[in-house]
Amino acid sequence: MTDSGLATLPASDRPDVAARLRDALLAASFTADGLLDLLGAPAYAALARSETVPALRATRGDTPLETLVRLFLLQQPVSHARVAAVLPAEQALEAGWLTRVGGDEVAATVDVRPYGGPGGEDWFIVSDLGCAVGGAGGIGQRDEGVVLGVGGASTTLAGITVRAPVTAALDLGTGSGIQALHAAQHATRVTATDLNPRALHITALTLALSGAPAADLREGSLFEPVRDDERFDLIVSNPPFVISPGARLTYRDGGMGGDDLCRSLVQQAGERLNEGGFAQFLANWQHVAGEDWQDRLRSWVPRGCDAWIVQREVQDVTQYAELWLRDAGDHRGDPAEYQARYDAWLDEFEARKVRAIGFGWITLRRTGAAEPGITVEEWPHPVEQPLGETIRAHFERLDYLREHDDAALLDSHFRLAGEVMQEQVGLPGAEDPEHVVLRQHRGMRRATKVDTVGAGFAGVCDGTLSAGRILDAIAQLMGEDPVVLRDRTPAQIRLLVEQGFLEPAG
């Protein structure tokens, strides 16, 4: 399963060789922790920027770990004798993990990069040579069928994914297989699809080398490889979401006009989910002149699904075009060709009246509720990954609020969430603050402004008293009518519950 112009891949049907290779890599401490110890933080971080000089300087010795770093991470030829002292060299050559070069040297045919799993697992991500961390080195100058390794988008999606035990999971557009690898830890069955057959081959290598169960690998675009009667408990996708003129690069360009690929993916996911199942995506979307971007995204949400959509970043069309031209390495080529491609991007955006591009996360949950809840918001601030549990709890709170009217809310008991702090803002010496802010130090790390009643209410919530009784006590202290306070406060309580500042007790 190889493409013309690209290196021949190792055999994906030799689990025995992958297992022996894995044992040898672990024995030499070729792990994320082992690399950090060997290279040091600066050189380790430089590798993530596709800069290899610091790592080359740190691996001038002849220890087993240095040999493996030079071979698999730095793609340097190494003597056969030196490799044979660390790896089952002949089996690796036979299975295609290594190839002979020069007189008595061997070289790796793929990049193999240690990756630490969420539970401390030692995994290995396979990718094409020179493609381990995305397009920083000008991937676009290579064959379009290349398969990238783990970049920031991949780890973001892995971090936001809800990690509950499930029967069936689907990794749509699997690439190097990182999402399938994560899903294999909590799903009985994993299906992984990709339009690029080379990606499916590399996914099989990633899973085998990481000691994970094999996935059901299927070739095709979007949901085409999925049978009409198949349903999943979890769907994840880091799709080729770049909004570009044409489909020049398989790994990033969707080939549909504008943001139609992301829209189609989201709209088709609902009918593929079991009740209560989650679908989670990274996506780009257009900000079109005369159109509210939030309304645009609400229109994508399929019927029968709750949705939480978070816009993390917005770029104007010039910034966006420059980002992806650099990703492809076009800035290093002919200036006239670079300018022509830049013009083509701007022509495309102008024709569609696009003023900016948004990037963020989309989470759907299949629900039987009569009125599904849709939240579309902008949150560009730092968050605490992993966020999977935070996202799961968001939808649980949505269910709770749907099931409780104001009267039921006042009869309920709440607790203040952990690590919530109060900030008071006002002029020095003022008797009362101008406003009070509650701030989370976990999860989404939200901050929300509350009035004096809201702050006092949140501070008292420890699960002991009902919300109504707390408000009655506050009313007595403030000399207010308790009926009026009970009438106007539920909206503020709902907001605090929705955003995770308050949690239902029991």
Side-chain angles (χ1 to χ4, degrees), residues 48-119:
R49 303 190 299 270
S50 293
E51 296 290 349
T52 59
V53 172
L56 284 167
R57 291 174 60 86
T59 55
R60 290 177 288 195
D62 60 357
T63 66
L65 182 53
E66 288 170 295
T67 297
L68 295 177
V69 171
R70 283 193 162 250
L71 185 66
F72 286 119
L73 265 63
L74 304 179
Q75 281 92 59
Q76 300 293 305
V78 181
S79 73
H80 180 279
R82 187 173 165 186
V83 171
V86 183
L87 299 177
E90 292 307 315
Q91 290 89 343
L93 282 164
E94 178 191 356
W97 290 92
L98 303 176
T99 186
R100 295 185 183 275
V101 295
D104 188 36
E105 291 185 320
V106 297
T109 58
V110 288
D111 185 294
V112 175
R113 192 149 302 230
Y115 178 87

Side-chain angles (χ1 to χ4, degrees), residues 172-184:
L172 194 152
T174 187
S176 61
I178 178 60
Q179 309 306 330
L181 180 56
H182 275 279

